[in-house]
Amino acid sequence: ETEAERNSIQGIKILLAEDNEINREVAQVLLEEEGAVVTAVSNGREAVKLFSSHPEGTFDVILMDIMMPVMDGLTATKAIRALNRPDAGIISIIAMTANAFAEDVQRCLDAGMNAHLAKPLDIEKVKKTICEHTIELYK
């Protein structure tokens, strides 16, 4: 098994929350070129609404920008974690942020996020992180 196969995100269903339109489009194209199925929203409130209005199993992972208007990524993560449904506590939520200092990473983890990706996104790192945090879905 090659590293490319091991880090394949083919068919993985991603909820992408990113307020910057260009960043959102770039991320969506990169992810879709790798075979992922991407649903993109532009703020945390939309992410919470979309996640909570779709049945369990609709999404495998959430990529959540931290700095967003209306509702930021940390608040949105806490809101999703607080939902009364089985997948809300276990879905992987991965932070995307330009602030990669230790305290920023810690804040993401404290809010209930599973991992953290620095911006600008490196697609190989993104794939590796998604695979590390969705692998239990396929066991």
Side-chain angles (χ1 to χ4, degrees), residues 40-132:
V41 295
S42 59
N43 65 60
R45 184 182 294 155
E46 287 176 19
V48 175
K49 203 163 102 186
L50 200 69
F51 180 82
S52 59
S53 65
H54 284 72
E56 196 176 335
T58 301
F59 304 107
D60 297 322
V61 64
I62 300 172
L63 294 182
M64 184 83 77
D65 187 26
I66 297 299
M67 307 289 265
M68 291 185 286
V70 187
M71 184 187 281
D72 67 80
L74 298 177
T75 307
T77 296
K78 288 175 185 162
I80 288 170
R81 292 292 186 224
L83 294 170
N84 186 18
R85 50 187 275 182
D87 57 341
I90 56 171
I91 189 163
S92 288
I93 303 178
I94 300 170
M96 299 184 296
T97 175
N99 305 334
F101 298 111
E103 61 266 26
D104 297 301
V105 175
Q106 194 54 53
R107 210 170 292 135
C108 295
L109 299 175
D110 290 346
M113 291 179 155
N114 301 83
H116 161 278
L117 290 166
K119 288 171 153 184
L121 296 178
D122 164 350
I123 189 64
E124 291 309 317
K125 266 202 190 94
V126 172
K127 285 163 54 182
K128 190 171 186 301
T129 305
I130 289 173
C131 289
E132 284 170 358

